[in-house]
Structure formats: C-alpha cells, structure tokens
C-alpha cells in the first residue's frame, strides 16, 4: 500500500455513468489495477467511469471498503459479506462482473466469475438459455443433431430458479 | 436502475452479449466441470466456439482418472513412447498405473515416475526447469501477490522446489514453492501453484494454496 508521506489522506473522485460523484480515499482504489495506474502515472484526482452505472459503482466501493478493513479477526464476517455481495439478481451480478473486469480488481473478479459459473452449473441447456436469455442460433438441423448426440444435456429438470 | 418489470419473451436480450470473450472464457475456466461445459457447447454458437478453449484443460485434467478406471481405453499408439516397446506393454501398464494414481492423489503436483514421451503421458516432470526459472518465478510471484490480496498473512516466494507441466496447446505449470510468511516471520511454508501464460502473455492462475 502506498503510504502518503504528508500523513494526509489523498482524496479521489470517481464519476459514475450517470454523472453521480463518489468521493473516497485514494488508498481504497489501489486494489484496482486500472485506477492504480491512472492515479500513479497521471496523478489525476477525478476519474470518469462512464461505462459503469452508479448503482454498480456503489456496490464495488462497498466491497473495497470492506476489503480494506479485513483483519484476522473478521475473516469470517468478510466471507459472509462476499457471499451476500454476489447474491443479487443476474443482471446486477453481470453488471458488477463486467465493471470489475474493466477495473481489474483481480480477487473480486475471481469471486464474481465463480458466482456466474455457479449459475451455469447443474443446469440443462434450456435452463441456461432461459436464465441468460440466450436464443439458440444453431440451425434446426444442428439443434436436432445435438439432441441426438447428447440427449442428457437437454434432459433433467428445467431448474431456472436462479434469479 | 431498476430491472425492466416485464421481461417479455419476444425481445430476449442476451445477457452474455456485453461480456467480452476473455471474460466468458474466464467464467468457463471457473466452471471446471466437463459435464457443465458440454452443456455450454450446445447453448449457442458463441459458447460453442469458446468452450474448447477452456474445456480442453478440464477434459484433459479428468483423463488420468478415466484411464485408471478404464484400462480398456489404453492403446499402444497413445501409451507407448516407441512402437518397438510393444513387448514391454505390461511393464508400461504398471508404470502408468502408478503415474496416473500419483497425478490424481497429488493433483498433478507430485510425480516420481514418468512413462516417457507418449501421448497419454501429458503430465511431465520438469526436471531442468532452471532453464525457464525467470518465467516461472514471475508466474509464482504473481500468484502469491494475488493470493496476498485476500489473505490476512502476506507471503513472498523464496524459491521454486519442483515443477511439473501439463502438455497441451500451452503448458500449464504445477509448481511447489517455498514462501516466507512476512506477517508472522515463521519458518518457510510450502505453496502449490497451478498457473500458465495466456494467449497474450497474460498470467492465469488457476490454483494457489498452502500445501496441507
């Protein structure tokens, strides 16, 4: 972690997609490789992030704060927080994952990818399509061939209960 | 922003559309389950084109178990380092049993036999890894730095002890490394790291844990 020599905490402003501003300590954003480079190399104090919705940014900042407070004694609490963090509707989870990927917050990215992967696992093809609203773009011939080749992929209960 | 109240089926918005290929690949990598990846293969054309990239590793990783359980899958072409070794087939079977068992038990990290340069022997003990020690150190250091970010204790790589790699379209390395616990200053600990370099030279860590 970069220690400020002046003893004074540096302040940084992040601007979300809807122009909402978030003012936070610079040390918090150093977990993001992208922001870290911007802060270190360009010495900026305000960073526009037009592709990230404010709602998503709020969530990510919440994570950064919690993560910064991580100590041996509250490890369990942090784990629970992480679990709750990804326990959101799919749309929101993907918003966060895309933003975290862009910001390059590696630990959190791994966790988000796992959360998305968990929503794909143990589902039938139809369920995955329904959950992620993917339309099959195979030809009817291909589709029927897959059904013949791997009938088990199309079987099983249509578990699409995940948000 | 609120989710749209009516998710009418007439206008499906593909949730994955805004995810770049690299991110989808990362998610597939995390799935780590051949059956689930098989299902992804028949979801849509984009998934189908991306799955082999991630799935190859998963499929290959499950091969030792499959071979061990089904000896009828063993064939001379894939298993013998040289066709002239046919008369030693039984000897090779013994070596392979031990080899696959070690791979499964140690998750690819500890192998003390190697059948030789054959297609089925794709976990390779890298005895002269010193040749590439700089690149391996870079991977190991990166893995530990990433581990530190979510760990209470901070570690630093001291040295690489052993390296195996899985021969595939790229090499995935299985490293056993000695690390120093910078927080507690306790004696060196042992970590196991599985990592590789991606398409564009990016470092991809799929496993990094203290050895128990």
């Amino acid at each position: 972690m970069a220690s400020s020599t002046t003893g004074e905490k540096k302040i940084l402003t992040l601007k979300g997609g809807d122009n909402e501003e978030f003012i936070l300590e610079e040390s918090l954003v150093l977990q993001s490789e992208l922001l870290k480079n911007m802060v270190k190399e360009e010495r900026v104090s305000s960073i526009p992030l037009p592709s990230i919705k404010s709602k998503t940014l709020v969530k990510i900042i919440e994570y950064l704060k919690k993560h910064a407070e991580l100590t041996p004694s509250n490890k369990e609490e942090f784990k629970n927080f992480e679990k709750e963090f990804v326990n959101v509707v799919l749309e929101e989870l993907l918003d966060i994952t895309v933003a975290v990927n862009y910001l390059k917050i590696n630990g959190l990215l791994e966790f988000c990818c796992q959360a998305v992967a968990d929503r794909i696992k143990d589902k039938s093809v139809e369920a995955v399509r329904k959950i992620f609203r993917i339309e099959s773009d195979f030809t009817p011939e291909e589709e029927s061939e897959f059904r013949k080749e791997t009938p088990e992929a199309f079987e099983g209960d249509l578990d699409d209960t995940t948000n | 922003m609120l989710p749209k109240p009516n998710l009418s089926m007439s206008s499906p918005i593909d949730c994955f559309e805004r995810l770049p290929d690299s991110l989808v690949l990362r998610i597939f990598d995390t799935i780590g389950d051949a059956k689930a990846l098989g299902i992804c293969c028949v979801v849509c054309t984009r998934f189908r084109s991306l799955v082999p990239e991630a799935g190859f590793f998963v499929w290959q990783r499950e091969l030792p178990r499959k071979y061990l359980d089904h000896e009828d899958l063993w064939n001379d072409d894939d298993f013998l380092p040289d066709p002239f070794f046919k008369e030693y087939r039984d000897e090779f079977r013994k070596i392979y049993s031990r080899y696959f068992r070690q791979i499964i038990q140690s998750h690819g990290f500890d192998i003390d036999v190697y059948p030789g340069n054959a297609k089925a022997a794709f976990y390779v003990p890298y005895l002269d890894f010193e040749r590439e020690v700089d690149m391996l150190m870079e991977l190991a250091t990166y893995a530990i730095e990433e581990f530190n970010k979510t760990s209470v204790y901070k570690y630093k790589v001291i040295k690489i002890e052993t390296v195996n790699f899985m021969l595939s379209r790229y090499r995935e390395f299985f490293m056993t490394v000695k690390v120093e616990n910078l927080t507690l200053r306790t004696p060196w600990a042992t970590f196991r790291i599985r990592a590789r370099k991606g398409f564009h030279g990016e470092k991809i860590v799929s496993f990094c844990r203290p050895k128990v």
Side-chain angles (χ1 to χ4, degrees):
Chain A
M1 215 166 284
S3 57
S4 79
T5 41
T6 54
E8 222 172 282
K9 281 170 183 161
K10 281 192 192 156
I11 297 297
L12 186 76
T13 309
L14 297 182
K15 237 188 240 175
D18 6 28
N19 267 330
E20 205 174 318
E21 296 194 344
F22 299 91
I23 299 166
L24 59 165
E25 280 174 32
E26 191 186 280
S27 62
L28 268 186
V29 307
L30 297 181
Q31 291 176 56
S32 151
E33 297 289 331
L34 180 89
L35 299 181
K36 187 169 137 187
N37 287 339
M38 284 182 162
V39 169
K40 292 240 158 114
E41 282 164 24
E42 296 164 34
R43 309 206 159 273
V44 287
S45 59
S46 169
I47 300 178
L49 298 165
S51 64
I52 303 177
K53 292 177 196 163
S54 290
K55 188 185 169 193
T56 311
L57 210 47
V58 169
K59 280 284 276 186
I60 294 173
I61 292 171
E62 188 192 348
Y63 176 90
L64 294 177
K65 281 186 179 155
K66 274 275 178 206
H67 186 269
E69 290 164 4
L70 179 66
T71 63
S73 56
N74 64 15
K75 215 175 164 181
E76 276 307 305
E77 193 191 316
F78 183 74
K79 278 201 179 130
N80 288 334
F81 164 77
E82 268 188 327
K83 250 183 242 160
E84 277 308 305
F85 185 82
V86 290
N87 188 15
V88 291
V89 292
L90 179 69
E91 211 40 38
E92 202 180 334
L93 176 62
L94 291 174
D95 277 343
I96 297 170
T97 310
V98 170
V100 167
N101 182 50
Y102 173 72
L103 294 170
K104 295 200 175 84
I105 309 172
N106 288 320
L108 182 56
L109 179 59
E110 204 176 299
F111 196 74
C112 288
C113 284
Q114 184 68 59
V116 179
D118 287 345
R119 294 188 188 200
I120 298 177
K121 270 189 201 171
D122 303 322
K123 303 269 162 38
S124 72
V125 173
E126 295 297 349
V128 172
R129 284 181 185 156
K130 199 170 169 204
I131 293 167
F132 293 95
R133 277 179 264 149
I134 300 167
E135 252 185 317
S136 166
D137 53 355
F138 294 118
T139 63
E141 292 80 33
E142 283 173 322
E143 182 88 21
S144 69
E145 199 176 307
F146 296 149
R147 281 177 194 268
K148 236 190 290 168
E149 269 174 19
T150 51
E152 67 279 3
F154 293 86
E155 281 164 10
D157 48 343
L158 190 77
D159 178 10
D160 58 353
T161 43
T162 324
N163 296 318
Chain B
M1 224 165 277
L2 288 165
K4 293 192 184 76
N6 178 21
L7 302 173
S8 86
M9 293 308 287
S10 59
S11 62
I13 323 143
D14 183 339
C15 291
F16 270 91
E17 209 168 70
R18 57 207 164 103
L19 273 64
D21 282 357
S22 60
L23 188 53
V24 178
L25 268 179
R26 214 173 158 139
I27 291 166
F28 284 174
D29 249 347
T30 321
I31 289 180
D33 169 287
K35 192 178 161 232
L37 282 178
I39 284 172
C40 287
C41 249
V42 289
V43 167
C44 61
T45 50
R46 184 178 180 217
F47 273 28
R48 194 172 181 79
S49 67
L50 289 174
V51 162
E53 207 63 61
F56 194 67
F57 276 102
V58 176
W59 171 79
Q60 209 175 26
R61 216 172 274 149
E62 288 177 1
L63 264 187
R65 159 72 58 201
K66 210 167 143 192
Y67 280 143
L68 206 55
D69 291 347
H70 305 278
E71 286 208 16
D72 50 307
L73 292 173
W74 299 24
N75 63 74
D76 290 350
D77 285 347
D78 289 349
F79 280 73
L80 296 181
D82 192 302
F84 295 111
F85 290 165
K86 277 196 172 74
E87 51 183 305
Y88 303 110
R89 194 179 294 135
D90 289 342
E91 306 303 316
F92 271 102
R93 282 191 177 261
K94 277 183 211 150
I95 296 172
Y96 269 110
S97 301
R98 186 182 162 91
Y99 171 71
F100 287 141
R101 204 158 278 133
Q102 286 181 354
I103 292 171
I104 293 164
Q105 277 167 4
S106 72
H107 304 283
F109 285 94
D110 297 322
I111 312 171
D112 69 10
V113 284
Y114 176 56
N117 188 13
K119 208 176 157 195
F122 49 81
Y123 280 83
V124 185
Y126 198 0
L127 299 180
D128 51 351
F129 70 83
E130 287 294 335
R131 296 190 337 197
E132 287 186 284
V133 75
D134 290 346
M135 184 272 293
L136 293 168
M137 260 312 236
E138 193 192 324
L139 268 181
T141 306
Y142 175 78
I144 293 293
E145 277 169 5
E146 287 301 309
F147 182 87
N148 283 346
K149 284 185 185 168
T150 49
S151 162
V152 176
Y153 300 128
K154 306 299 169 202
Y155 297 92
K156 181 177 180 269
V157 182
I158 302 295
K159 65 169 180 153
I160 299 171
E161 291 223 298
T162 60
V163 182
N164 300 324
F165 61 83
M166 193 166 85
L167 203 55
S168 164
R169 273 175 305 175
Y170 351 83
R171 288 176 304 166
E172 185 173 45
F173 297 98
F174 297 72
M175 294 185 271
T176 305
V177 305
K178 282 277 179 235
V179 297
E180 188 182 353
N181 184 329
L182 299 175
T183 317
L184 294 181
R185 299 269 165 201
T186 43
W188 292 354
T190 307
F191 264 67
R192 280 173 161 178
I193 297 168
R194 193 172 72 213
R196 67 181 159 103
K197 283 270 180 97
F199 267 148
H200 311 290
E202 73 274 26
K203 303 178 210 57
I204 301 167
V205 180
S206 41
F207 184 90
C208 179
R209 297 270 180 284
K211 183 182 173 183
V212 282

